[in-house]
Amino acid sequence: MTLSDAILWPGTKVCEHLGLDPKADAGLIRWLINTLVYLVISLIVVWVVVV
């Protein structure tokens, strides 16, 4: 597994669960899922550091 595969893993797994090919037209859905996952993780990290 390469670094890019590890970073894109959450969106890839969601697309596979939905029956979509993550490397085809579902790339936008994969991008959306990855953005949401990493947004939540980064907000939690910021919240813990600041508070």
Side-chain angles (χ1 to χ4, degrees):
M1 177 179 275
T2 64
L3 180 62
S4 63
D5 290 338
I7 291 172
L8 296 174
W9 183 80
T12 302
K13 286 301 173 187
V14 170
C15 286
E16 288 174 355
H17 178 72
L18 294 174
L20 302 169
D21 182 18
K23 298 195 186 283
D25 294 335
L28 188 60
I29 296 170
R30 180 172 68 167
W31 170 81
L32 175 70
I33 299 300
N34 286 326
T35 301
L36 293 175
V37 167
Y38 291 120
L39 173 68
V40 170
I41 290 171
S42 62
L43 287 176
I44 291 170
V45 168
V46 168
W47 182 265
V48 168
V49 169
V50 172
V51 174

